[in-house]
Amino acid sequence: MRDVVAHAEAPRGSLQHYFPGGKDQLIGEAVAWAGDYAARRVARLAAKLTDPAPGRLFEAMAAQWRDEFTAQGFDAGCPLVATVADTAATSDGLREAVAKAFDGWQRPVAATLEELGVPASRSTSLAVLMLSTLEGAIVLARAHRSVAPLDTVVAELRPLLDGAAVKRRRRAGAGE
């Protein structure tokens, strides 16, 4: 908390005023913001796809991390993963905040998958697979200081995701 006050160049009392719940409240609000940011990013990525497909959505999600690691190094990581790794065993409130943030990110991924032709019966489970695979690849990329894990998961997951798009496959087969 002292570091936050020093970085903000604010009196300590102002931090306590805005975050009366202390460190847990501050982290909880930061986690909520990060989850909302990730959810909004899904829509922006989907809108930019030149050839919309589930595998391309995943590729775009991974590309953001690939680009960041390539440009800025491997010091940054997902704040949701960091929070749950540091506090899951000690703070039910923060664990719940992270779970809510992940749910808020997962929902637009699942909805976008449905828009891309994935049946509703599979969209939620594939969204879980995409997020957990991406998060694991981010951790491995940081550990190895290499974007290779991101490239690997994109190459391996793309065929599975694209194969789940039943509507797209039917349209393509019908000559549309």
Side-chain angles (χ1 to χ4, degrees), residues 25-51:
Q25 181 185 0
L26 176 65
I27 294 170
E29 290 189 30
V31 161
W33 181 89
D36 290 344
Y37 176 79
R40 289 188 309 270
R41 221 169 33 184
V42 172
R44 287 194 307 267
L45 292 172
K48 291 181 181 179
L49 294 176
T50 55
D51 183 18

Side-chain angles (χ1 to χ4, degrees), residues 42-112:
V42 172
R44 287 194 307 267
L45 292 172
K48 291 181 181 179
L49 294 176
T50 55
D51 183 18
R56 292 202 185 270
L57 174 64
F58 183 68
E59 181 178 14
M61 292 168 67
Q64 289 187 315
W65 284 99
R66 184 183 212 296
D67 294 347
E68 182 172 330
F69 290 151
T70 301
Q72 299 174 11
F74 293 87
D75 293 337
C78 178
L80 302 180
V81 171
T83 302
V84 79
D86 289 346
T87 64
T90 59
S91 174
D92 284 339
L94 288 177
R95 184 193 47 74
E96 290 170 10
V98 173
K100 184 177 177 183
F102 270 123
D103 288 345
W105 185 14
Q106 179 185 316
R107 278 190 300 276
V109 172
T112 302

Side-chain angles (χ1 to χ4, degrees), residues 9-35:
E9 299 178 356
R12 184 161 173 80
S14 64
L15 188 63
Q16 292 168 338
H17 172 76
Y18 290 108
F19 300 99
K23 185 172 93 173
D24 280 4
Q25 181 185 0
L26 176 65
I27 294 170
E29 290 189 30
V31 161
W33 181 89

Side-chain angles (χ1 to χ4, degrees), residues 101-168:
F102 270 123
D103 288 345
W105 185 14
Q106 179 185 316
R107 278 190 300 276
V109 172
T112 302
L113 289 174
E114 285 185 51
E115 291 170 11
L116 296 172
V118 174
S121 62
R122 292 198 65 202
S123 65
T124 299
S125 62
L126 288 176
V128 168
L129 179 63
M130 289 169 68
L131 296 184
S132 58
T133 302
L134 179 60
E135 291 294 352
I138 292 167
V139 170
L140 290 172
R142 290 185 70 202
H144 295 290
R145 303 192 72 71
S146 167
V147 296
L150 292 165
D151 296 340
T152 298
V153 298
V154 166
E156 292 295 329
L157 204 54
R158 184 185 303 135
L160 173 78
L161 294 170
D162 289 344
V166 176
K167 291 177 188 172
R168 282 183 60 86

